[in-house]
């Protein structure tokens, strides 16, 4: 019986692992540049934790199971609920603001498609305890700072930004009751992913008034905050939310990433817990699924039994990002080192095997990465092996030189060689 990998999962052979490391190392570096510290949690939690506030879509996509004690558990589809739980647990002792990042491996039982798998890695950055929209600006900035570091320009990607507070104020102003908002948001979030007629039909099922549905459709296409006032009357709540959006854009401009950012009322987000600024970064052509998404969530910590505590953050998966980088020619497998050795120790004849083992071990003890051929082979072949392993230098143990206690050190990029006394090299 030939056992296959499960659909929607990936095997990371060394070349794929090099790509994953390239992405993850960049995420970590950007987090640190922006002052976030790393955390992690367990890969499974109580199923109930995801049923509280994440919304139906994520609940439908859960991998869940019962353990031997009859506990209902789920593999994490996101880390935000874990973050809320962990912060709640130590809320009084954690220094504020809480700026944390994580790179969890997540599972969602989605139908595998371009950019969406059933197991993936997701970079998360979150700021907890800062009411000011400055925290949202920091999250969006950090995310764009990372994407910019990969040489993606504003011609390649756009951060589409909106506000659920603004949307809620506007929807309530046109007669939608507050308690109905939660069931309308997931429909609005589906708009870019389904045909216009299907979208309208879904809204008609949820909302009685055809005129209200048409107003919502017009609102979803708004790309400048000022246009909203031309479609609906603005109340104080809407005006305040608009001011917050304007300040966010001013901050992003100040931070030097304004050209990447655009207001887009159509960004609603699928998850149920968002309460304020929401955003997604998309490829400029709009061909792919979102590269990342996030926003403000003010009630998640209190929903999990903690104090009222505002928070904002985002998650970026590795899948769409990799597709986009390849499409733009910014990621090529042959430019990523699978391995990089400081030294490779080659030996000119089988009699020098012991010496090669000794030299290798001594270099490793000094903290250098070092390898050698397990079988005596022609020197040329060993040099090829050194090259394939990405060795910076190759030490060639030869009979006459070792007699004097010297070793030949070859620089693999320039091809130059020098003989150095072994004792000096190992110092
Ligand atoms: P999300 O929109 O569900 O948000 O996911 C964020 C990102 O994770 C997506 O934009 C995508 O890059 C990636 N992603 C999601 N599902 C998949 C999948 N099946 N395969 C590959 N990549 C995927 C959240 O998860 C929120 N918890 C983010 C957040 C953090 N909000 C506040 N803090």
């Amino acid at each position: 019986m030939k056992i296959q990998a499960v659909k929607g999962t990936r095997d990371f052979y060394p070349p794929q692992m090099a790509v994953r490391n390239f992405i993850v190392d960049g995420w970590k570096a950007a987090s640190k540049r922006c002052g976030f510290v790393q955390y992690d949690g367990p890969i499974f939690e109580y199923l109930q934790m995801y049923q509280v506030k994440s919304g139906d879509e994520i609940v439908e996509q859960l991998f869940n199971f019962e353990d031997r004690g009859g506990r209902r558990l789920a593999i994490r589809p996101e880390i935000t609920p874990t973050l809320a739980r962990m912060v709640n647990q130590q809320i009084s002792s954690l220094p504020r603001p809480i700026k944390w990042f994580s790179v969890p491996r997540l599972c969602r039982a989605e139908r595998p498609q371009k950019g969406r798998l059933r197991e993936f890695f997701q970079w998360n950055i979150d700021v907890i305890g800062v009411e000011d929209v400055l925290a949202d600006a920091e999250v969006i900035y950090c995310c764009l700072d990372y994407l910019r570091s990969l040489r993606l320009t504003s011609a390649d990607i756009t951060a589409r930004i909106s506000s659920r507070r603004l949307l809620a104020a506007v929807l309530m102003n046109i007669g939608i009751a507050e308690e109905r908002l939660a069931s309308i948001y997931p429909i609005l979030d589906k708009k870019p992913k389904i045909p216009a007629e299907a979208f309208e039909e879904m809204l008609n099922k949820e909302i009685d008034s055809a005129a209200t549905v048409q107003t919502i459709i017009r609102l979803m296409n708004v790309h400048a905050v000022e246009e909203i006032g031309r479609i609906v009357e603005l109340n104080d709540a809407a005006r305040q939310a608009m001011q917050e959006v304007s300040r966010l854009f001013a901050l992003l401009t100040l931070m030097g990433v304004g050209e990447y950012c655009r207001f887009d009322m159509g960004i609603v987000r699928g998850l149920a817990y968002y309460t304020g600024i929401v955003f997604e970064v998309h490829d400029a052509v709009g061909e792919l699924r979102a590269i990342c998404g996030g926003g403000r969530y003010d009630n998640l910590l209190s929903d999990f039994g903690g104090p009222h505590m505002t928070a904002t953050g985002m998650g970026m998966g590795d899948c769409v990002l990799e597709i986009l980088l390849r499409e733009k020619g910014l990621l090529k497998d042959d430019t990523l080192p699978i391995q990089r050795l400081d030294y490779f120790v080659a030996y000119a004849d089988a009699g020098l095997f012991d010496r090669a083992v000794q030299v290798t071990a001594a270099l490793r003890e000094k903290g250098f990465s070092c390898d050698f051929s397990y079988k005596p082979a022609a020197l040329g072949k060993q040099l090829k092996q050194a090259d394939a392993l990405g060795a910076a230098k190759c030490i060639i143990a030869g009979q006459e030189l070792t007699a004097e206690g010297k070793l030949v050190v070859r620089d693999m990029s320039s091809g130059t060689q020098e003989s150095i006394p072994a004792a000096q090299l190992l110092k």
Side-chain angles (χ1 to χ4, degrees):
M1 185 177 51
K2 194 173 171 201
I3 297 179
Q4 312 239 315
V6 177
K7 214 169 130 206
T9 65
R10 286 169 292 178
D11 294 329
F12 292 92
Y13 289 90
Q16 288 84 37
M17 198 63 213
V19 173
R20 185 172 123 194
N21 283 337
F22 165 74
I23 291 175
V24 171
D25 290 350
W27 286 345
K28 289 184 179 169
S31 305
K32 288 174 191 161
R33 273 203 296 281
C34 297
F36 290 83
V37 291
Q38 192 166 8
Y39 73 99
D40 200 358
I43 61 160
F44 53 83
E45 295 267 9
Y46 285 110
L47 171 66
Q48 191 199 7
M49 196 165 91
Y50 304 107
Q51 293 170 325
V52 177
K53 246 331 178 106
S54 294
D56 292 344
E57 191 172 282
I58 275 225
V59 172
E60 282 160 22
Q61 293 171 346
L62 282 174
F63 280 105
N64 54 60
F65 59 98
E66 209 175 278
D67 75 359
R68 288 185 203 174
R71 284 169 283 261
R72 299 185 66 207
L73 308 175
I75 302 176
R76 60 185 179 190
E78 57 163 339
I79 203 171
T80 317
T82 302
L83 170 69
R85 180 180 63 67
M86 285 170 61
V87 169
N88 272 348
Q89 241 154 252
Q90 297 195 352
I91 194 77
S92 46
S93 60
L94 292 172
R96 311 273 173 84
I98 298 162
K99 286 178 72 173
W100 284 6
F101 84 93
S102 193
V103 184
R105 183 192 278 259
L106 305 178
C107 288
R108 295 186 189 179
E110 286 203 49
R111 186 174 58 80
Q113 53 188 301
K114 193 175 177 188
R116 286 290 180 276
L117 296 174
R118 300 212 281 171
E119 187 196 43
F120 59 99
F121 292 85
Q122 191 196 58
W123 176 37
N124 280 256
I125 47 173
D126 290 84
V127 181
I128 298 176
V130 180
E131 297 272 1
D132 193 340
V133 77
L134 177 58
D136 305 86
E138 276 276 84
V139 167
I140 298 172
Y141 169 79
C142 182
C143 163
L144 290 172
D145 178 46
Y146 165 68
L147 294 169
R148 189 172 57 177
S149 75
L150 298 172
R151 290 187 286 129
L152 286 164
T153 68
S154 57
D156 302 317
I157 51 164
T158 310
R160 301 193 201 160
I161 302 169
S162 187
S163 158
R164 272 215 186 164
R165 238 179 103 196
L166 175 58
L167 182 63
V170 168
L171 291 179
M172 276 154 57
N173 219 17
I174 58 170
I176 309 246
E178 191 172 1
E179 55 279 12
R180 306 282 310 285
L181 294 175
S183 50
I184 291 173
Y185 290 155
I187 303 177
L188 301 184
D189 180 61
K190 286 206 174 73
K191 182 177 170 279
K193 301 163 204 154
I194 55 174
E197 309 78 58
F199 176 62
E200 193 170 336
E201 199 182 310
M202 284 175 90
L203 280 179
N204 278 324
K205 269 195 198 141
E206 199 61 38
I207 299 163
D208 294 335
S209 154
T212 306
V213 167
Q214 290 312 315
T215 308
I216 293 177
I217 291 173
R218 283 179 66 203
L219 279 169
M220 287 295 100
N221 291 316
V222 163
H223 291 297
V225 202
E226 311 77 55
E227 280 176 41
I228 302 169
R230 282 183 230 135
I231 300 173
V232 291
E233 220 171 281
L234 299 174
N235 57 12
D236 282 350
R239 272 193 213 97
Q240 269 174 19
M242 278 168 73
Q243 270 168 17
E244 192 181 69
V245 171
S246 302
R247 187 165 128 72
L248 174 64
F249 276 87
L251 283 166
L252 291 166
T253 303
L254 204 60
M255 291 170 162
V257 292
E259 59 180 347
Y260 286 89
C261 303
R262 194 177 88 188
F263 179 77
D264 184 343
M265 194 84 177
I267 296 299
V268 179
R269 309 275 300 127
L271 293 161
Y273 48 65
Y274 293 113
T275 51
I277 296 293
V278 277
F279 80 100
E280 286 177 3
V281 176
H282 285 257
D283 63 294
V285 188
E287 257 175 11
L288 305 169
R289 300 274 303 256
I291 300 166
C292 70
R296 172 80 57 169
Y297 48 102
D298 277 348
N299 305 326
L300 194 60
L301 278 81
S302 55
D303 284 338
F304 284 180
H308 178 79
M309 179 71 68
T310 185
T312 182
M314 75 97 212
M316 179 187 296
D318 59 333
C319 305
V320 173
L321 179 67
E322 184 180 338
I323 294 170
L324 182 67
L325 290 177
R326 286 190 192 282
E327 278 183 11
K328 299 280 172 195
L330 297 172
L331 175 63
K332 292 191 186 110
D333 289 333
D334 53 6
T335 58
L336 292 179
I338 290 171
Q339 194 173 12
R340 209 185 279 279
L341 282 179
D342 295 320
Y343 289 101
F344 185 89
V345 181
Y347 42 108
D349 77 56
L352 289 165
F353 173 81
D354 289 1
R355 182 75 181 127
V357 172
Q358 273 179 336
V359 171
T360 303
L363 283 167
R364 287 176 178 170
E365 198 194 337
K366 294 276 172 211
F368 295 106
S369 55
C370 186
D371 212 348
F372 66 106
S373 171
Y374 290 171
K375 280 189 206 147
L379 202 53
K381 214 170 163 190
Q382 291 190 52
L383 285 175
K384 267 195 188 147
Q385 190 183 352
D387 217 24
L389 295 174
K393 289 186 172 156
C394 190
I395 291 174
I396 304 161
Q399 201 74 63
E400 62 296 358
L401 289 170
T402 47
E404 294 168 34
K406 282 187 174 177
L407 295 162
V408 172
V409 180
R410 181 187 176 93
D411 185 298
M412 294 301 282
S413 52
S414 65
T416 52
Q417 292 191 176
E418 53 178 335
S419 52
I420 300 175
Q424 186 189 325
L425 182 83
L426 297 178
K427 218 168 32 177

